[in-house]
Amino acid sequence: RIEFVENDAACSIDRAAQTVHLASGRRLAYDHLVLATGARRRELAVSGSDLPGIHYLRTRADAENLKQRLEGARRALVIGAGFIGLEFAAVAADRGLSCTVVETAPTLLARAVSRTTAGHIRQTHEARGTRFLFGRGVDRFEATADGRVAGAVTSTGETLAADLVVVGIGVIANDGLASAAGLVVDGGVTVDARLRTSDPAISAIGDCVVVPHPQA
């Protein structure tokens, strides 16, 4: 008894009437609503960030495009030492590319794993030839004569040559629908340990939420 509503979008939530308004004009009533609106990629807004040769990895199409761009590339630059960046760095190193990873935090996977685990992962990557630069970001990208990315200048002044760049600096929660409905949001839809929002008739789940840590 599940109905799929395709090619339509939720535009607003009327909490008082307990209805969701769709772009088509249709209204869907609910007894309990679950928000699973996900997240979108966080983009690097610096000079030159729109140059050809700078990529994000979010969809299968992104992955297919990167696979093609690896052919013929020599120097890869990865912005962000999270899971996405490190997975790509491993592939680039296996393909024989010179690979550098730039990370603003003092270590890789700083918010995800322990220092011991992070240290082991770093050693594994470095054994493959990957270089890490921690505690700095990217101030701008530089271009070749034909308008493609030639490298980046870091916040500490280093110039890093690269003909292939992958940016993996996290995601932004899609909490606009919840915020417009007056639900509590704080970098994502705020929920309790049972995934309930500030409205007891609405829950939220997945990348769109901020979940309390049990040890916090």
XYZ file of all heavy atoms in Angstrom, residues 189-197 203-205 209-215:
144
model
N 18.390 19.286 10.073
C 17.162 19.183 10.855
C 17.503 18.580 12.216
O 18.053 17.480 12.291
C 16.116 18.308 10.145
C 14.800 18.337 10.917
C 15.903 18.766 8.707
N 17.203 19.299 13.283
C 17.538 18.827 14.619
C 16.545 17.758 15.068
O 15.334 17.973 15.041
C 17.523 19.998 15.618
O 18.453 20.996 15.165
C 17.931 19.534 17.004
N 17.074 16.596 15.473
C 16.227 15.497 15.940
C 16.746 14.991 17.281
O 17.885 15.265 17.671
C 16.191 14.330 14.925
C 15.569 14.775 13.615
C 17.590 13.764 14.691
N 15.906 14.221 17.968
C 16.339 13.607 19.218
C 16.863 12.193 18.938
O 17.031 11.796 17.777
C 15.206 13.602 20.252
C 13.998 12.764 19.826
O 14.120 11.951 18.883
O 12.925 12.928 20.442
N 17.114 11.432 19.981
C 17.701 10.099 19.819
C 16.777 9.138 19.076
O 17.224 8.098 18.583
C 18.055 9.526 21.184
N 15.498 9.479 18.972
C 14.536 8.640 18.245
C 14.146 9.261 16.906
O 13.144 8.903 16.312
C 13.305 8.387 19.112
C 13.653 7.651 20.422
C 12.427 7.345 21.250
N 11.566 6.358 20.590
C 10.419 5.922 21.120
N 9.991 6.407 22.292
N 9.693 5.018 20.490
N 14.954 10.223 16.461
C 14.790 10.868 15.157
C 13.524 11.703 15.044
O 13.012 11.938 13.952
C 14.838 9.835 14.022
C 16.130 9.008 13.935
C 16.050 8.026 12.783
C 17.352 9.900 13.791
N 13.034 12.199 16.177
C 11.871 13.086 16.174
C 12.335 14.532 16.111
O 13.260 14.929 16.820
C 11.026 12.857 17.425
C 10.413 11.460 17.510
C 9.736 11.218 18.836
N 10.690 11.293 19.947
C 10.459 10.814 21.169
N 9.296 10.257 21.447
N 11.373 10.914 22.111
N 11.658 15.316 15.270
C 11.967 16.740 15.171
C 11.278 17.493 16.308
O 10.694 16.887 17.210
C 11.489 17.303 13.824
O 10.054 17.351 13.825
C 11.971 16.440 12.657
N 9.231 13.274 11.789
C 10.562 12.722 12.032
C 11.459 13.075 10.846
O 10.979 13.466 9.782
C 10.502 11.199 12.197
O 9.719 10.840 13.309
N 12.747 12.921 11.025
C 13.692 13.136 9.925
C 14.810 12.117 10.044
O 15.162 11.675 11.142
C 14.245 14.559 9.957
N 15.383 11.757 8.890
C 16.372 10.685 8.868
C 17.372 10.918 7.741
O 17.063 11.563 6.743
C 15.659 9.316 8.688
C 16.616 8.155 8.948
C 15.022 9.204 7.307
C 15.917 6.811 9.029
N 19.860 15.349 8.704
C 19.623 15.556 10.129
C 20.887 15.820 10.918
O 21.994 15.499 10.504
C 18.880 14.353 10.774
C 17.612 14.023 9.999
C 19.785 13.135 10.844
N 20.689 16.431 12.086
C 21.712 16.550 13.124
C 21.241 15.675 14.282
O 20.209 15.939 14.890
C 21.884 17.995 13.586
C 22.902 18.075 14.715
C 22.336 18.873 12.427
N 22.003 14.611 14.561
C 21.609 13.627 15.559
C 22.478 13.787 16.802
O 23.689 13.928 16.684
C 21.764 12.190 15.011
C 21.245 11.161 16.002
C 21.051 12.051 13.683
N 21.888 13.775 17.989
C 22.702 13.883 19.214
C 23.587 12.647 19.392
O 23.145 11.517 19.159
C 21.655 13.985 20.331
C 20.434 13.323 19.766
C 20.447 13.642 18.294
N 24.825 12.877 19.782
C 25.725 11.757 20.058
C 25.419 11.186 21.426
O 25.239 11.936 22.383
C 27.186 12.223 19.989
C 28.169 11.109 19.922
N 28.501 10.336 21.006
C 28.890 10.622 18.888
C 29.386 9.426 20.658
N 29.636 9.578 19.372
N 25.358 9.878 21.569
C 24.989 9.293 22.866
C 25.956 9.619 24.001
O 25.573 9.564 25.173
C 24.961 7.780 22.578
C 25.766 7.604 21.340
C 25.555 8.849 20.533
N 27.190 9.987 23.668
C 28.177 10.309 24.707
C 28.359 11.810 24.889
O 29.192 12.241 25.664
C 29.519 9.651 24.387
C 29.445 8.129 24.366
C 30.775 7.499 24.002
O 31.748 8.190 23.700
N 30.833 6.172 24.041
